[in-house]
Amino acid sequence: MASMNLFTTIPLTADGRNPTAYFPRRRTNSVALAATSQESPPEIELEFIAPKAESEGRYAVEKAKAISGEKLLRNIMSDNKIELYATYGKLMNCGGGGSCGTCIVEIIEGKDLLNERTNTELRYLKKKPESWRLACQTIVGNKENSGKVVVQRIPQWKK
């Protein structure tokens, strides 16, 4: 049976170090910058208007905040326990895949703080107002902007 040598010989320098494994340590400037930077990421304030008026004729408003560019509108609403779906949507939504069209919202203010309509939205909202969006396709912010977005929940109940 042939034997196999599992050990290899590495030539060493006069002071006993491996010349191929020696690399001088370098300091990275990014660590120093990150440690001194105290700037927090931009935030988007959101207000969600209830779909139906209360007995006094006023609409209830729920508020939330999100870091710009990190989450979809649907996830922000879910995380803050803000109702998104009408009765049918509660039972038959696609879970955020963009294949059912039940998470429609209307952007009252702050449209410029959201991403452009996706191809899915263009297909589902073809005959709807430009202010209507699918919450599962709408990214809130772009990691650089901040401001306020006002959202009308379940806008089809207004019509």
Side-chain angles (χ1 to χ4, degrees):
M1 179 187 268
S3 66
M4 210 162 105
N5 186 3
L6 296 176
F7 301 99
T8 57
T9 307
I10 299 173
L12 302 176
T13 60
D15 61 354
R17 289 186 295 184
N18 177 352
T20 59
Y22 177 70
F23 297 102
R25 291 186 181 193
R26 295 183 186 183
R27 288 191 151 182
T28 58
N29 291 336
S30 60
V31 173
L33 292 174
T36 59
S37 176
Q38 297 296 324
E39 192 173 315
S40 61
E43 281 189 336
I44 305 289
E45 294 179 39
L46 296 115
E47 289 186 1
F48 298 94
I49 301 171
K52 293 183 179 179
E54 295 175 345
S55 58
E56 310 90 45
R58 303 176 98 199
Y59 288 86
V61 175
E62 296 180 76
K63 297 182 179 190
K65 286 186 179 183
I67 295 175
S68 181
E70 283 197 356
K71 288 189 174 185
L72 292 168
L73 187 57
R74 178 186 189 275
N75 296 346
I76 293 168
M77 293 177 78
S78 175
D79 292 350
N80 289 283
K81 296 178 179 36
I82 297 171
E83 193 64 48
L84 172 60
Y85 299 104
T87 305
Y88 174 78
K90 289 177 189 174
L91 301 172
M92 304 300 289
N93 74 73
C94 66
S99 60
C100 69
T102 60
C103 62
I104 294 174
V105 295
E106 183 176 7
I107 306 304
I108 305 296
E109 181 183 321
K111 180 182 175 186
D112 55 320
L113 298 173
L114 308 173
N115 64 316
E116 295 293 321
R117 272 188 172 183
T118 63
N119 289 337
T120 301
E121 288 180 290
L122 293 173
R123 184 174 63 247
Y124 277 102
L125 304 173
K126 189 184 316 181
K127 296 178 183 177
K128 305 291 185 198
E130 282 293 313
S131 60
W132 286 26
R133 300 292 304 266
L134 294 179
C136 71
Q137 300 290 305
T138 305
I139 300 170
V140 177
N142 66 6
K143 297 192 180 197
E144 296 176 4
N145 58 10
S146 61
K148 180 178 175 181
V149 176
V150 179
V151 179
Q152 170 71 57
R153 298 184 294 130
I154 315 171
Q156 58 272 33
W157 283 2
K158 290 192 327 184
K159 307 280 181 228

